[in-house]
Amino acid sequence: MSAELTDTRVGRLANWNVAIIAITVLVLIIAAASVDNFGTGQNFGFLVLDLLPIALVALPMTLVIVTGEIDLSVASTLGLSSAFMGYLWNANQPIETIIPLCLLLGAVLGAVNGFFVTVLGLPSLAVTIGTLALYRGLAFVVLGDGAVADFPSLYTDWVTGTIAGTAIPNVLIVIIVLAAVFGVILHATPVGRAVFAVGAGEQAARFAGIRPGRLKFWLYVVSGVISGLAGVLWTLRYSSARADNGAGLELAVVAAVLLGGVSIFGGKGALPGVIAGVVLLGSLQNALRLSDVSNEALNVVTGVLLIASVLGPNLLKRRT
């Protein structure tokens, strides 16, 4: 009986979530010991700011992918939100009005994706590739290829500042709060159970009284809102609204989510693993930048991790 219990515990621990968390901790320790300035408080602040947009967008992306869908328009939504923010600022609108309007814009863009996927029944991959190009093009229509700066220092200083003079960035609060909210929703509410049920089998979920179309529609709306928020925070961090802000971010987000153990086929995943995947990806990129590695090499690393995130869980599952 004792041996069986031990085997059961080992089986529970031998999963991709535990593996990715362990790998992340190991990478952080090695990087702090071998890369100059990686373990400093100043670099910790830069690391959190770099992780901010990936971490935020990865939260709703996790739920979308668990349902068996995907949203590749998130980076373009971020860019259009930033461009819209710059346009409104040029129109002398107060920042307190601009931020809610950018979130509303994100909700509308997400609703467009949700409409095409759930109402018209089109494949989410094709739809969001199309809106990826559409939203980025609209961003350049709204703002052109220039930049808008001079946003209120009260907001820009808060985004780039730290808590009470410590090395802990203010934006870490945003990440922790939203991660806790999404974690509770996914793992401790009927909505989360419905998300997993839809991803495991949409037809069976219907028989259980779940409405997959409505669920997916609202997940796309939430994805749009969070992407709009990421666009606002990106703009305030750099004090620069540009139509090309966040270009290519969708690759890092999808890589982080899949690296965190979420199945690309839906029905499986856990938010702690996704957070670990975000930290792992961001830490590797940060350590390589400190080592003067080129951006092209960073893209190679992201691509390798994306392949590993799909291959690794499958190999571990077979071995288990």
Side-chain angles (χ1 to χ4, degrees):
M1 180 66 70
S2 177
E4 292 178 358
L5 181 60
T6 300
D7 289 342
T8 301
R9 290 176 177 174
V10 171
R12 289 176 179 174
L13 290 175
N15 59 66
W16 187 251
N17 282 323
V18 175
I20 198 64
I21 291 173
I23 292 171
T24 301
V25 173
L26 181 62
V27 167
L28 289 172
I29 293 173
I30 294 175
S34 60
V35 179
D36 291 339
N37 299 319
F38 181 86
T40 63
Q42 184 180 21
N43 186 62
F44 174 72
F46 289 136
L47 176 59
V48 172
L49 287 171
D50 289 342
L51 290 177
L52 175 65
I54 301 175
L56 292 183
V57 178
L59 296 174
M61 181 72 81
T62 298
L63 275 67
V64 170
I65 294 181
V66 169
T67 63
E69 306 293 349
I70 197 166
D71 185 359
L72 296 178
S73 68
V74 288
S76 296
T77 299
L78 184 157
L80 182 50
S81 173
S82 178
F84 187 55
M85 188 174 181
Y87 172 81
L88 293 177
W89 184 248
N90 275 344
N92 298 318
Q93 295 297 317
I95 194 72
E96 293 79 10
T97 301
I98 292 174
I99 293 176
L101 288 177
C102 288
L103 299 183
L104 178 61
L105 173 64
V108 171
L109 300 178
V112 171
N113 287 335
F115 174 80
F116 283 118
V117 173
T118 64
V119 178
L120 299 184
L122 300 177
S124 59
L125 180 62
V127 167
T128 56
I129 286 177
T131 52
L132 178 154
L134 173 63
Y135 296 164
R136 185 66 68 180
L138 288 175
F140 281 97
V141 170
V142 169
L143 197 61
D145 56 1
V148 176
D150 300 325
F151 290 97
S153 60
L154 176 65
Y155 289 86
T156 57
D157 290 346
W158 186 87
V159 171
T160 58
T162 58
I163 300 174
T166 64
I168 303 174
N170 291 323
V171 293
L172 188 59
I173 300 174
V174 179
I175 297 175
I176 292 174
V177 170
L178 287 178
V181 170
F182 276 88
V184 170
I185 290 173
L186 182 60
H187 297 295
T189 68
V191 174
R193 290 191 288 273
V195 167
F196 283 108
V198 170
E202 190 168 318
Q203 191 64 33
R206 284 196 181 94
F207 289 137
I210 298 170
R211 299 174 64 180
R214 183 174 66 176
L215 177 64
K216 292 179 182 180
F217 176 84
W218 286 109
L219 287 181
Y220 276 108
V221 172
V222 172
S223 179
V225 171
I226 298 299
S227 297
L229 174 62
V232 169
L233 294 175
W234 184 299
T235 302
L236 292 176
R237 178 195 175 180
Y238 295 104
S239 192
S240 177
R242 295 180 56 91
D244 61 352
N245 278 349
L249 186 74
E250 65 280 337
L251 177 62
V253 172
V254 173
V257 173
L258 299 184
L259 194 62
V262 177
S263 173
I264 190 63
F265 304 108
K268 297 179 182 178
L271 212 55
V274 172
I275 298 300
V278 170
V279 174
L280 175 60
L281 180 62
S283 299
L284 284 173
Q285 291 180 340
N286 181 267
L288 292 173
R289 286 194 188 97
L290 290 175
S291 302
D292 295 324
V293 174
S294 66
N295 288 330
E296 290 75 14
L298 293 178
N299 290 333
V300 171
V301 171
T302 303
V304 169
L305 289 176
L306 184 55
I307 295 173
S309 65
V310 177
L311 190 61
N314 290 321
L315 293 177
L316 186 60
K317 181 180 178 180
R318 290 181 181 182
R319 182 176 178 81
T320 303

